[in-house]
Amino acid sequence: MTQDEMKQAVAQAALDYVLPKLKADSVIGIGTGSTANCFIDALAAHKGAFESAVASSEASAERLRSHGIEVVDLNSVSGIEVYVDGADEFDPHLNLVKGGGGALTREKIVAAASKEFVCIVDQSKQVDVLGAFPLPVEVIPMARSYVARELAKLGVHPEYRQGFVTDNGNIILDVHDMEILNPKGLERELNDLVGVVTNGLFALRPADLVLMATPEGVETLTV
Ligand code: 5RP
């Protein structure tokens, strides 16, 4: 099974999981990235099963609209039934590193506003300890050098993501070569730096469920 086939298989498994939860007036949260795109494409055939979607990026909003799915602003809804999104890494506690696609802040907001967070990945994303994948930190542009110096003081190695601007008009510093032994503590510590909007650790609000594609089939992981 190719990685693309695994992404499609896990998107279908997510669809099978969420469809029974959706009602005609439900709002669904939609993530960003190639696995989330497979989910959007699979969801398109069921657009009558829910009312509308909140997207975690402009790219996902555009893809949803291209399928005729109504996209609404988070401020116009009272809550989200379920959020479906990918990840760059996940650990045994379902803590995540996200933001490889740069959508981490909106992803974290939509996850926070959702009753349930279903993370969809292939097995390449499974790790014992987070940190091999560079951790994205979204930063207000004028604070870029200051935050980079503060990160260096913490003993980590930030790298400016050249030429990339987030949907919120900010920049990304990717922090390399970490062994994240205390994900909740690090998530708080990085968010406390002035100029940081948020970072790509999802440990304070981890996934509720991870659906992981393997060549043998899709596994359901909970804590
Ligand atoms: C985007 C994300 C994505 O969920 C993450 O990068 C995984 O993407 P893909 O499904 O393409 O591997 O956090 O900001």
Side-chain angles (χ1 to χ4, degrees):
M1 209 185 231
T2 66
Q3 199 173 24
D4 270 358
E5 286 166 340
M6 283 198 272
K7 286 177 187 188
Q8 276 162 25
V10 79
Q12 185 58 48
L15 189 65
D16 295 342
Y17 179 81
V18 303
L19 274 179
K21 294 173 183 283
L22 297 177
K23 302 190 200 85
D25 61 351
S26 297
V27 180
I28 184 168
I30 301 291
T32 298
S34 56
T35 319
N37 281 346
C38 291
F39 180 72
I40 294 172
D41 296 346
L43 186 66
H46 302 273
K47 58 188 173 212
F50 58 98
E51 189 173 270
S52 57
V54 169
S56 68
S57 64
E58 299 299 336
S60 291
E62 199 174 306
R63 196 174 187 104
L64 286 159
R65 286 193 196 100
S66 77
H67 286 301
I69 296 171
E70 188 187 355
V71 179
V72 293
D73 191 290
L74 179 60
N75 292 308
S76 71
V77 302
S78 56
I80 297 173
E81 195 59 39
V82 58
Y83 178 51
V84 181
D85 195 4
D88 300 301
E89 286 185 337
F90 75 96
D91 75 8
H93 305 286
L94 311 192
N95 300 313
L96 315 173
V97 166
K98 290 184 47 53
L104 58 154
T105 299
R106 293 189 187 194
E107 289 171 343
K108 206 174 265 197
I109 294 168
V110 181
S114 298
K115 282 190 207 159
E116 189 177 5
F117 178 6
V118 177
C119 183
I120 51 174
V121 291
D122 64 69
Q123 62 182 9
S124 69
K125 311 293 181 73
Q126 187 174 37
V127 297
D128 288 330
V129 177
L130 301 173
F133 189 92
L135 176 66
V137 180
E138 180 163 352
V139 176
I140 301 286
M142 74 170 287
R144 185 187 80 212
S145 301
Y146 166 74
V147 171
R149 287 196 297 274
E150 292 301 304
L151 289 169
K153 281 186 203 163
L154 297 176
V156 299
H157 308 291
E159 189 177 306
Y160 175 38
R161 199 182 290 187
Q162 295 280 349
F164 185 85
V165 178
T166 70
D167 284 349
N168 312 308
N170 298 315
I171 64 102
I172 300 274
L173 297 174
D174 289 304
V175 183
H176 290 257
D177 305 325
M178 282 198 293
E179 195 185 17
I180 303 174
L181 299 173
N182 177 4
K184 284 190 177 65
L186 185 65
E187 185 175 351
R188 284 198 188 94
E189 187 175 23
L190 296 181
N191 285 346
D192 276 352
L193 295 175
V194 174
V196 168
V197 178
T198 198
N199 67 84
L201 272 169
F202 284 58
L204 298 169
R205 202 284 182 241
D208 297 304
L209 183 80
V210 170
L211 297 173
M212 178 180 74
T214 75
E216 289 75 42
V218 175
E219 291 179 21
T220 301
L221 306 170
T222 52
V223 177

